[in-house]
Every structure is written in C-alpha cells, then in structure tokens.
Amino acid sequence: DGGITQSPKYLFRKEGQNVTLSCEQNLNHDAMYWYRQDPGQGLRLIYYSQIVNDFQKGDIAEGYSVSREKKESFPLTVTSAQKNPTAFYLCASSISVVGETQYFGPGTRLLVL
Amino acid sequence: KNQVEQSPQSLIILEGKNCTLQCNYTVSPFSNLRWYKQDTGRGPVSLTIMTFSENTKSNGRYTATLDADTKQSSLHITASQLSDSASYICVVSAEYGGATNKLIFGTGTLLAVQP
C-alpha cells in the first residue's frame, strides 16, 4: 500500500522542549516537503528537499530543522526556538520539485502544554 | 506579490445541489493551477490540475475552469454529496527557470453539505 505516513497523529510539547515529527514515503519520490497549516491561512512551506542529503529553507524555516539521510524519510524537528509551534503539520512528496503534483500525508497536530 | 484568493470563505448547501467555488490569483510566472480537497484533520488530496492552455478539466462530479487572461479559476461541484463536506484549496504554481517551482496556496473554501 503506497503512500505517505506521518506520526504521531497528535504531539504535545512542553516549554523548552524539542520534538521530532516523522514523515515516511514509499512512492520512490525524490522531493519531500514540510508545511505548516494555521486556521485562516494557506499552507506555508517550512523546508523542502530535492534529493537525499540536500534540503532548502522555505518561507518560515526559523525554529525548525530537518534531515534527509534516506530517500524515504524526512523528519522535522520543532526546536525550542519556535515560539508559536501550535499548528497542523503536513508532509508531502513529489517526483521532483519541478511542476509535479505533491502528495500529502495525513498530518500531525502539535499542541503546546 | 504572488497571491491566491478564494471565495467564499465558507458555504453551506443542501445535499444534491450544485455549487461553484472561486479562485483569483496574481502569480507570475504562472505554471499551473490545482484544486485540492482537504477533509477535516487530513492531508489535502489533488482533484484537478490545469496548465495555461487548458480551460476545463473534470474529475467525476468536479469540474474546474481556468481563465488565464483574467487569472480566475472556478471549481463546480455537481449533485453534491455529504462526503463533499471539506475544505477546497486552490494552489497556483510559479515556475522559475525550470529549476524549482513555488506553490502559492489559497486559504480554502470550507464547504458543508447538509442532508
């Protein structure tokens, strides 16, 4: 069963804590993305990766970090520097970054305790 | 500034009725326009994609139109079903020199279909 999986579905963060959101895809896609979705706003790009061991900042990268050690995996770490982390986080992948349809995972909702 | 605006913000219709959602954009250089459906608490799913030369694209009961001159698109839903209740997001792609493309997302129209 091909697709993108994200875990966990819900995540709670304490003040000053770093948390990591998982994203895995078995679509053999080269490109992967992380978006943040807030009520009343369009999706905003946090980071993207065109290929293994390469990633680029998106529009709102401050307070976040990523790695791309394997083609299938693109984890996102929300660091303590991100002062307003409560949001719905969506991971996506596409064959490449040029003009291809992006396929989204089911999302992770991050809440701050 | 690249922008995508959608209207209405929300819409309630009765099951079996038709509806039309609007998308206006100011994105340059334009590459393509997609409509996505996002169920509550889920990731968006692509419905249609249109390039500059296409002005209509259908996917079952969903029909998207594109007027590249006026920079407007619409999504028409025919004979609505309860399962159509979702947020519909218009996404415009700007392509820069073939190296990468940038997606600009609208804020979505929240559709509620009532029995």
Side-chain angles (χ1 to χ4, degrees), chain A residues 61-88:
Chain A
E62 186 175 349
Y64 300 97
S65 66
V66 293
S67 63
R68 186 86 187 275
E69 296 177 2
K70 298 187 299 182
K71 187 175 186 176
E72 308 80 40
S73 179
F74 191 40
L76 173 75
T77 297
V78 183
T79 74
S80 57
Q82 173 49 243
K83 298 307 179 187
N84 185 24
T86 298
F88 190 51

Side-chain angles (χ1 to χ4, degrees), chain B residues 35-108:
Chain B
W35 284 93
Y36 277 87
K37 177 187 179 187
Q38 184 177 22
D39 292 317
T40 301
R42 307 289 297 174
V45 175
S46 178
L47 293 174
T48 63
I49 175 173
M50 287 182 292
T51 60
F52 185 88
S53 59
E54 297 174 298
N55 54 24
T56 301
K57 185 71 71 78
S58 291
N59 178 1
R61 293 180 297 103
Y62 300 102
T63 299
T65 65
L66 174 64
D67 185 335
D69 292 331
T70 61
K71 298 186 178 181
Q72 295 180 326
S73 176
S74 66
L75 180 69
H76 186 74
I77 304 175
T78 304
S80 61
Q81 300 176 359
L82 298 178
S83 59
D84 291 332
S85 296
S87 180
Y88 292 84
I89 303 172
C90 176
V91 184
V92 181
S93 176
E95 191 162 324
Y96 298 101
T100 61
N101 69 325
K102 181 178 175 63
L103 298 186
I104 298 94
F105 291 80
T107 55

Side-chain angles (χ1 to χ4, degrees), chain A residues 87-101:
Chain A
F88 190 51
Y89 290 87
L90 287 161
C91 178
S93 72
S94 63
I95 295 174
S96 74
V97 296
V98 183
E100 301 290 343
T101 297

